[in-house]
Amino acid sequence: MTSILKSLLSPAHQVLNMNWRNGFTIPTSDLYPFQWNWDSGFIALGHYYEKPSYAIQELSSLFSGQWKNGLLPHIIFHSENEKTYFPNFDFWNSQVNPGAPNKPKSSGITQPAVHGFILEYLLNQNPQDQQLVAFAKSIFPKIVHYHRFLYQYRDPLKEGLFFIYHPWESGRDNSPLWDESLNRIVVAEGDLPPYQRRDTNIANPEERPTKEQYDRYVYLLLLGQKYQYDGREIAQESPFLVQDDMMNAILIKSNQSLINIGKKLDLDTGEIEEWNQQSIASFNTKFWNDQLGLYTSFDLRGGRQIAEKEIGGLIPLFAQIPSQDQAGRIHDYLHNLQINGYYLCPSFDVDSPSFDSCRYWRGPVWPHMNWMIYHGLKHYGFLDTAAQIKADTFEIVDKFGFYEYYEPLKSKANSLVKGYGGDNFSWTASSVIDLIHNP
Ligand code: GLC
């Protein structure tokens, strides 16, 4: 291990320990004081090296917020006394759905279904860990139930591809991908109840969504609430209705992991295999864009692909969906960025007018995204670029600290002293820990 890696490892564990809250880990203090769904998956990876029981507790706490219909919420509000976040549990009012647990309180939408692949990854680290094996058996049906929710409530055309109706579900909240759909929402004075944002008091407003964007987020939240967060009417009415490439790729990856785990632990996987066959076939026909040489998301309301070069279009590599030729095209995209002076991997097309190198999801680099792309590149044999994305991740974290996201343009980054968004960020620490251990 080189000295830069050694010097990153112990502060990374410190970040995770600092953010541990007696059973789960917050992404960062101040900005995100609760448990976030897909963050927790990545966080479990980092904990497992030093404190395997924390990894198990992390996932258990998350699933303690699962709804009867299977939905795994994007935020679990373990504390009802913490009032510094908007929208808090009272604004979500998830109890409009009778299957939402009363405790812990939760939001009413979801996030990327990473838990299946995280569980397999942990099991592969240490197949002899009996506590983990027992845990895997107990959580397996809950993850399946969650996937079933996505197919049952979010796939009206029965294509094997599910939709989201809120950008926050995508995990890439402020991506330009959502602009056109969000612009369909016209919020007039008095349409929304009064609300007070908290994020812009804590983080630099230039790195956060604008007021118009935020109003539309609130509008979509209230639309979900009107239909108990699972009603069929959501798909009929929502101006924002997108089949996201990254979320569907992650679901496919997690399905495959559940199939692998089920085979080893003698658990039934018939239903999951059926889902996955259909999902993979539909994914390739509906999301591949040959002109871009990347996958794209699909705007169900507008009836067309969202033809942009965006980081979600690279994640199918991780899910092993593309053919070797398609993977080669995706690799070309990354290679061009690399030779043009960017850290891998900017979250949006650097040549687009919507690119914004410091506003979240409109350009910056995210270490947990790099973690997935790294594994995808390795699978397809692009070892040099895999090594590059790993080296870039170490370099930015070493230079700027454990931030939420980072400046992608090297010439601009040279004049900066820190990253963007929240500091001491858990999944950044976790991704670094795991990349250090991964040869
Ligand atoms: C932001 C990100 C989302 C993440 C959350 C907590 O909202 O867009 O992906 O889960 O922060 O880190």
Side-chain angles (χ1 to χ4, degrees):
M1 205 183 281
T2 64
S3 60
I4 158 174
L5 298 191
K6 269 197 209 133
S7 69
L8 285 178
L9 198 55
S10 118
H13 279 292
Q14 272 167 25
V15 169
L16 288 186
N17 291 332
M18 175 197 316
N19 290 339
W20 175 254
R21 294 287 183 275
N22 200 17
F24 68 96
T25 313
I26 56 168
T28 179
S29 58
D30 302 338
L31 198 55
Y32 304 123
F34 303 104
Q35 186 175 30
W36 259 257
N37 177 326
W38 72 319
D39 293 59
S40 276
F42 289 100
I43 289 166
L45 286 183
H47 277 313
Y48 193 68
Y49 287 96
E50 276 206 341
K51 298 186 170 143
S53 69
Y54 278 25
I56 293 177
Q57 285 184 63
E58 184 75 41
L59 295 172
S60 303
S61 303
L62 182 67
F63 276 82
S64 72
Q66 186 170 29
W67 293 16
K68 284 216 173 66
N69 63 11
L71 176 117
L72 191 63
H74 98 295
I75 305 175
I76 313 292
F77 298 100
H78 290 290
S79 160
E80 294 178 26
N81 299 324
E82 169 67 65
K83 302 279 195 250
T84 57
Y85 186 78
F86 177 83
N88 214 327
F89 69 90
D90 45 359
F91 198 87
W92 282 101
N93 190 21
S94 294
Q95 265 55 47
V96 292
N97 186 301
N102 189 37
K103 214 167 178 48
K105 295 274 194 302
S106 57
S107 68
I109 55 171
T110 191
Q111 264 192 336
V114 296
H115 322 86
F117 77 70
I118 294 287
L119 187 65
E120 187 191 17
Y121 196 87
L122 295 179
L123 285 164
N124 287 344
Q125 300 283 324
N126 185 2
Q128 309 308 328
D129 180 344
Q130 289 315 314
Q131 226 188 339
L132 182 64
V133 171
F135 172 69
K137 286 184 180 154
S138 70
I139 201 160
F140 184 92
K142 297 181 187 171
I143 304 179
V144 177
H145 189 35
Y146 173 34
H147 291 195
R148 194 180 296 114
F149 165 84
L150 297 172
Y151 287 112
Q152 198 174 336
Y153 288 89
R154 297 294 191 89
D155 182 15
L157 306 175
K158 298 288 164 226
E159 295 174 283
L161 301 173
F162 71 94
F163 71 75
I164 55 173
Y165 68 91
H166 199 300
W168 292 345
E169 298 201 287
S170 73
R172 308 189 310 296
D173 307 23
N174 198 24
S175 169
L177 287 188
W178 322 133
D179 290 357
E180 192 180 327
S181 299
L182 286 171
N183 286 344
R184 295 187 187 122
I185 303 170
V186 185
V187 179
E189 195 69 36
D191 279 359
L192 300 177
Y195 70 90
Q196 178 78 47
R197 277 175 79 169
R198 305 283 183 172
D199 58 324
T200 39
N201 300 342
I202 299 162
N204 181 349
E206 292 211 333
E207 296 164 19
R208 303 293 304 171
T210 61
K211 155 101 174 77
E212 289 69 35
Q213 278 161 344
Y214 225 85
D215 274 354
R216 290 164 177 160
Y217 295 152
V218 170
Y219 173 94
L220 291 171
L221 183 164
L222 294 171
L223 175 78
Q225 192 176 81
K226 183 161 115 188
Y227 299 117
Q228 296 77 47
Y229 295 110
D230 67 2
R232 225 175 272 158
E233 300 89 337
I234 295 173
Q236 282 155 18
E237 188 175 321
S238 181
F240 185 103
L241 202 71
V242 173
Q243 289 167 319
D244 176 33
D245 52 5
M246 184 190 85
M247 287 194 79
N248 280 282
I250 286 179
L251 180 66
I252 287 170
K253 173 75 179 171
S254 283
N255 277 338
Q256 188 55 52
S257 290
L258 290 178
I259 294 166
N260 301 343
I261 296 170
K263 295 248 152 48
K264 277 195 196 133
L265 302 184
D266 203 16
L267 304 162
D268 183 25
T269 59
E271 183 185 23
I272 315 170
E273 286 176 62
E274 270 177 38
W275 290 336
N276 230 21
Q277 261 179 15
Q278 193 199 13
S279 295
I280 295 169
S282 300
F283 194 102
N284 252 319
T285 45
K286 202 161 185 188
F287 294 161
W288 178 252
N289 184 308
D290 209 42
Q291 236 169 338
L292 296 181
L294 286 181
Y295 288 94
T296 59
S297 292
F298 194 91
D299 174 4
L300 263 186
R301 182 58 71 229
R304 60 175 177 274
Q305 285 185 344
I306 306 174
E308 299 283 1
K309 296 181 188 164
E310 189 266 341
I311 196 161
L314 311 177
I315 302 303
L317 280 180
F318 174 59
Q320 303 177 9
I321 296 170
S323 65
Q324 192 65 36
D325 280 357
Q326 287 170 310
R329 306 268 319 266
I330 300 175
H331 174 259
D332 291 346
Y333 171 73
L334 283 167
H335 187 65
N336 280 332
L337 286 164
Q338 185 197 331
I339 58 181
N340 284 312
Y342 291 93
Y343 284 117
L344 297 180
C345 173
S347 41
F348 200 70
D349 180 1
V350 297
D351 297 320
S352 158
S354 304
F355 174 76
D356 184 340
S357 74
C358 71
R359 206 180 279 271
Y360 92 151
W361 293 113
R362 302 180 86 86
V365 173
W366 294 73
H368 71 293
M369 299 297 287
N370 281 1
W371 184 91
M372 290 189 281
I373 298 168
Y374 165 75
H375 284 284
L377 288 169
K378 258 178 67 174
H379 172 78
Y380 285 93
F382 298 115
L383 302 185
D384 289 350
T385 310
Q388 186 64 45
I389 203 163
K390 191 179 189 181
D392 283 0
T393 310
F394 292 148
E395 186 175 322
I396 51 179
V397 176
D398 185 49
K399 270 193 181 158
F400 303 122
F402 290 90
Y403 273 83
E404 188 177 5
Y405 40 100
Y406 299 86
E407 173 60 44
L409 190 59
K410 287 186 184 171
S411 57
K412 184 169 173 200
N414 279 339
S415 62
L416 301 177
V417 291
K418 59 188 187 79
Y420 296 138
D423 192 4
N424 293 315
F425 219 84
S426 297
W427 64 9
T428 302
S430 231
S431 306
V432 165
I433 293 170
D434 193 65
L435 286 172
I436 290 176
H437 287 284
N438 206 295

